[in-house]
Amino acid sequence: MKRRNFVQSSMLAGASLLSTGVLNAATLTGCADPAGVTTTAADKPFNLNYGIHDGMFKNHAGDNFVEQIKFAYDKGFRSIEDNGMSHRTEDEQKKIGDTLAKLGMAMGVFVQPGLGNDSNMLASGKADQVEKFIASCKQAVEIAKRINSKLVTVVPGDFVRNLPIGVQTGNVIEAIKKGTAILEPHGVIMVLEPLSDNPDLFLRTPDQAYAICKAVGSPSCKILYDMYHVQRNQGNIIPTLDLVYDEIGYYQIGDNPGRKEPGTGEVNYKNIFKHIYNKGYRGVLGMEHGTAGQGKEGELALIKAYREADSFM
């Protein structure tokens, strides 16, 4: 299968509700949508597919993530992401997967099991690190099946100071090739995330991730374009996005400074969302940020912020 077709079909899995004009028309008139929930114009599905995370609506729906998902659905959201999915029990994973299937919602990314920011060192090229990475890819496939996911976040880990950068890059490419050999038969895509959290991280910019994806040459290796980290590391979000667009498999959102919802910082998300929409992307955009306000009022303000940023049509 061609890489472009493979990625497009994988990223849009579970998001079919977003492609129908009938759903939007129904919600605008206050009719029941295909999941049986009556919504108003204020709660209609968004133009883009923003994915909530656990805790984002706990003041309205309680601590249970499944109930938060249902609340989010009622407010027009049609997807989730869950960095901690691999730490949940199999029963929890299945309940979340079943809930998403029932509501027709999409699953965004989860972090590959056992691979936090500082728990893997793919740049080192050490055999034990590669073996751990391969094992985590196998675990990710099983989790993805339970939650109907096609996207898993991978962070290569820290920079190795006693190795030339070219050698480190080669080590990362070779490790990822081994990982994609595990993921590709199942249609699962690892998205490499450039981060800004500390100067020791190996992967920091989208162009660096782009070069790795091109070298790996697999539809199961793409870029996670986290706009909060891009803004902190280099800015220039829209032009950089255009340069690496054909290797982007997922987006994450967070305003800067503060890493809260759109409109709380310096990033013009309304323009960015319009640009992403016009590029043709219809996959999930993960809401990987906190809430600026407190309690129910803060959660409602977050929803309002997304309505404003999404009002580009």
Side-chain angles (χ1 to χ4, degrees):
M1 182 180 293
K2 292 184 178 179
R3 295 181 70 200
R4 184 178 299 274
N5 293 340
F6 177 99
V7 173
Q8 288 175 344
S9 62
S10 295
M11 287 191 297
L12 297 178
S16 60
L17 288 178
L18 296 173
S19 64
T20 65
V22 176
L23 179 58
N24 285 334
T27 56
L28 285 169
T29 57
C31 299
D33 69 17
V37 177
T38 300
T39 55
T40 65
D43 296 329
K44 66 184 178 70
F46 292 87
N47 292 308
L48 284 171
N49 190 8
Y50 310 108
I52 72 154
H53 62 74
D54 192 3
M56 188 157 271
F57 295 124
K58 65 181 181 181
N59 291 290
H60 278 91
D63 292 330
N64 187 295
F65 192 24
V66 168
E67 295 305 315
Q68 293 176 39
I69 292 170
K70 293 175 182 177
F71 175 84
Y73 180 91
D74 289 348
K75 295 302 177 182
F77 296 96
R78 292 295 181 267
S79 65
I80 72 165
E81 66 174 19
D82 187 27
N83 286 345
M85 183 66 76
S86 63
H87 299 295
R88 297 183 185 275
T89 65
E90 291 187 14
D91 184 58
E92 287 179 303
Q93 292 170 0
K94 190 174 185 305
K95 285 180 180 178
I96 291 170
D98 289 347
T99 300
L100 295 176
K102 181 178 179 180
L103 294 174
M105 296 177 71
M107 176 67 205
V109 294
F110 64 97
V111 174
Q112 190 149 323
L115 295 183
N117 292 4
D118 57 0
S119 62
N120 59 304
M121 293 289 291
L122 297 186
S124 71
K126 292 181 178 178
D128 64 323
Q129 296 294 314
V130 176
E131 289 170 6
K132 183 174 73 169
F133 177 63
I134 292 172
S136 74
C137 288
K138 293 177 180 178
Q139 289 179 270
V141 168
E142 296 309 310
I143 294 171
K145 290 177 182 177
R146 286 191 285 271
I147 58 176
N148 192 28
S149 174
K150 296 294 182 183
L151 295 156
V152 56
T153 303
V154 169
V155 177
D158 285 352
F159 180 83
V160 182
R161 298 188 179 276
N162 64 347
L163 288 177
I165 187 65
V167 172
Q168 294 182 64
T169 302
N171 289 339
V172 170
I173 290 168
E174 288 306 303
I176 290 175
K177 283 181 177 179
K178 291 180 172 66
T180 57
I182 303 297
L183 302 180
E184 192 171 329
H186 303 278
V188 177
I189 303 168
M190 70 169 75
V191 284
L192 306 178
E193 183 174 17
L195 298 171
S196 64
D197 298 313
N198 68 69
D200 292 326
L201 290 161
F202 169 80
L203 188 60
R204 297 187 62 85
T205 61
D207 62 285
Q208 185 187 8
Y210 184 85
I212 293 170
C213 289
K214 289 298 185 186
V216 171
S218 167
S220 281
C221 178
K222 289 292 174 181
I223 300 169
L224 194 170
Y225 199 85
D226 187 319
M227 292 172 278
Y228 166 76
H229 290 299
V230 175
Q231 179 68 6
R232 293 188 72 204
N233 275 331
Q234 65 186 76
N236 221 29
I237 292 175
I238 290 177
T240 301
L241 186 159
D242 287 341
L243 287 173
V244 303
Y245 182 76
D246 63 307
E247 294 293 345
I248 295 175
Y250 193 78
Y251 295 88
Q252 283 181 329
I253 303 159
D255 215 334
N256 183 64
R259 201 171 191 174
K260 300 296 191 294
E261 66 265 25
T264 57
E266 64 189 359
V267 181
N268 189 334
Y269 269 108
K270 189 171 186 177
N271 278 353
I272 293 172
F273 289 160
K274 180 179 180 180
H275 188 76
I276 291 172
Y277 183 90
N278 288 339
K279 298 280 289 185
Y281 181 81
R282 297 295 182 270
V284 178
L285 296 89
M287 300 160 64
E288 196 186 36
H289 57 73
T291 305
Q294 301 296 314
K296 291 184 176 181
E297 293 77 12
E299 293 173 0
L300 293 176
L302 180 147
I303 296 170
K304 183 178 179 181
Y306 270 90
R307 287 294 174 192
E308 169 58 28
D310 189 68
S311 63
F312 51 78
M313 296 293 283

